[in-house]
């Protein structure tokens, strides 16, 4: 297992759309294990392969209190949504920034499990928000894209400054 470095906004690599996984192989299972380790270490409740500079459609999530309900979704697809809700979001790729985003309240998602089995999950609450946030990453979208240009530019400048200081 390995901790993977996480890319930070406005890194252009976060804008690369991920390609579908052709087959769930040992390599994908190894990637998922490293992503879980990286997510729990951060700590975070979700992580998309895009954030660790892997352009494949793989996400990991665990919104449980005891961090004992890991779910890996390969090639996740939202089949349907219901309702709307707002939640304050953060992102490991946009450290220190928390803003309210409106998303679907309930979603039905089809994906491949790490056994390569086609699987369906109905999610609401934090899990629904997290899965939508992660699928956005796979499509090169970040939660700051839902904010005003003014807010996003302020966040970009703040993170660019923070990044310049560590170089
Ligand atoms: O750790 C995370 N917390 C979070 C809180 C509210 C909405 C979404 C998230 S996902 C985030 C981890 C992350 O950046 N995943 O891409
Ligand atoms: Ni994120």
């Amino acid at each position: 297992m390995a901790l993977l470095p996480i890319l930070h906004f406005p890194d252009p690599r976060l804008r690369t759309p991920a390609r579908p996984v052709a087959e769930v192989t040992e390599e994908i299972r190894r990637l998922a294990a490293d992503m879980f380790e990286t997510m729990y270490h951060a700590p975070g409740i979700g992580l998309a392969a895009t954030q660790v500079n892997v352009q494949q459609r793989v996400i990991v999530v665990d919104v449980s209190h005891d961090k004992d309900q890991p779910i890996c979704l390969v090639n996740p697809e939202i089949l349907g949504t219901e309702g709307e809700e707002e939640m304050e979001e953060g992102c490991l790729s946009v450290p220190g920034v928390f803003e309210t985003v409106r998303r679907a309240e309930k979603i039905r998602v089809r994906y491949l499990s790490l056994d390569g089995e086609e699987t369906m999950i109905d999610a609401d609450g934090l899990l629904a928000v997290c899965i939508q946030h992660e699928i956005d990453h796979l499509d090169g979208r970040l939660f700051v894209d839902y904010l005003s240009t003014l807010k996003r530019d302020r966040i970009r400048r703040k993170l660019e400054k923070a990044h310049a200081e560590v170089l």
Side-chain angles (χ1 to χ4, degrees):
M1 296 241 286
L3 286 177
L4 307 171
I6 295 174
L7 302 178
H8 288 172
F9 175 73
D11 192 309
R13 290 172 290 182
L14 288 168
R15 300 307 191 178
T16 313
R19 56 184 181 279
V21 170
E23 193 190 345
V24 180
T25 58
E26 213 42 56
E27 187 191 342
I28 294 294
R29 283 187 277 272
R30 196 152 45 231
L31 169 66
D34 289 345
M35 287 173 60
F36 275 121
E37 187 183 4
T38 303
M39 175 188 80
Y40 287 127
H41 179 263
I45 59 170
L47 189 70
T50 308
Q51 292 176 277
V52 293
N53 199 29
V54 174
Q55 280 71 45
Q56 302 217 65
R57 300 190 77 82
V58 178
I59 68 179
V60 297
V61 300
D62 188 343
V63 300
S64 69
H65 180 260
D66 293 325
K67 300 291 154 210
D68 57 357
Q69 286 169 51
I71 309 173
C72 177
L73 299 88
V74 175
N75 298 342
E77 262 186 275
I78 295 179
L79 299 181
T81 69
E82 230 178 84
E84 283 188 346
E85 75 172 337
E86 290 191 339
M87 206 179 277
E88 180 156 287
E89 298 196 13
C91 180
L92 296 172
S93 295
V94 194
V97 175
F98 301 90
E99 296 285 350
T100 300
V101 176
R102 176 175 303 161
R103 299 190 186 270
E105 181 188 8
K106 298 179 178 181
I107 56 174
R108 172 165 290 177
V109 184
R110 183 174 61 196
Y111 64 97
L112 296 177
S113 70
L114 283 180
D115 311 316
E117 294 289 327
E118 195 167 290
T119 312
M120 202 99 88
I121 187 173
D122 287 319
D124 60 13
L126 187 56
L127 181 60
V129 168
C130 190
I131 291 173
Q132 291 173 82
H133 175 116
E134 304 313 334
I135 292 175
D136 271 356
H137 277 301
L138 299 181
D139 293 329
R141 257 190 320 274
L142 296 167
F143 84 101
V144 296
D145 298 346
Y146 298 103
L147 309 177
S148 68
T149 309
L150 178 67
K151 267 194 178 175
R152 189 166 49 256
D153 285 346
R154 278 196 189 132
I155 293 164
R156 177 187 291 118
R157 280 195 295 277
K158 177 175 139 181
L159 291 193
E160 280 172 344
K161 185 162 175 282
H163 184 243
E165 279 165 4
V166 298
L167 288 183

